[in-house]
Amino acid sequence: MSFWKKAGDLALKAGSAALSEAKAAGERTKQYKEEMPLKGDDELFRIVQRERTSSMLKAGAAMQELKSRGYSPEEIKERIS
């Protein structure tokens, strides 16, 4: 097998893996956006605080829900600090 054939095969595998991960992240984001409206404000603040380093998708969905409930980014930041 030639160098370029191997390089092409590797690029194809990498692209497929990236696409699969992007789809999975999209599904997780959708799931989190559906879950967050069911949670109370205090729980949403805890999620933002606890998950902001380990699960940015979940923390982002919680933050978006808090914003939709009328909290400003400054209020959210003050409350989780």
Side-chain angles (χ1 to χ4, degrees):
M1 186 180 282
S2 74
F3 169 78
W4 292 112
K5 175 69 173 147
K6 287 181 184 179
D9 288 346
L10 287 173
L12 184 60
K13 287 178 184 178
S16 295
L19 182 60
S20 294
E21 182 56 34
K23 285 181 182 180
E27 287 297 316
R28 286 193 308 271
T29 299
K30 182 180 174 186
Q31 178 187 358
Y32 294 147
K33 285 183 178 182
E34 291 173 357
E35 288 176 11
M36 295 305 152
L38 305 174
K39 299 184 183 303
D41 291 1
D42 290 336
E43 188 173 358
L44 290 171
F45 280 111
R46 280 192 299 273
I47 290 169
V48 171
Q49 185 174 25
R50 188 177 58 231
E51 303 290 339
R52 63 184 169 186
T53 57
S54 62
S55 177
M56 291 297 294
L57 295 176
K58 191 171 188 177
M63 185 171 271
Q64 284 302 115
E65 181 60 27
L66 287 167
K67 287 180 183 177
S68 76
R69 294 181 186 187
Y71 291 96
S72 70
E74 292 80 22
E75 290 173 311
I76 296 169
K77 187 176 179 179
E78 285 176 17
R79 187 118 177 236
I80 63 170
S81 296

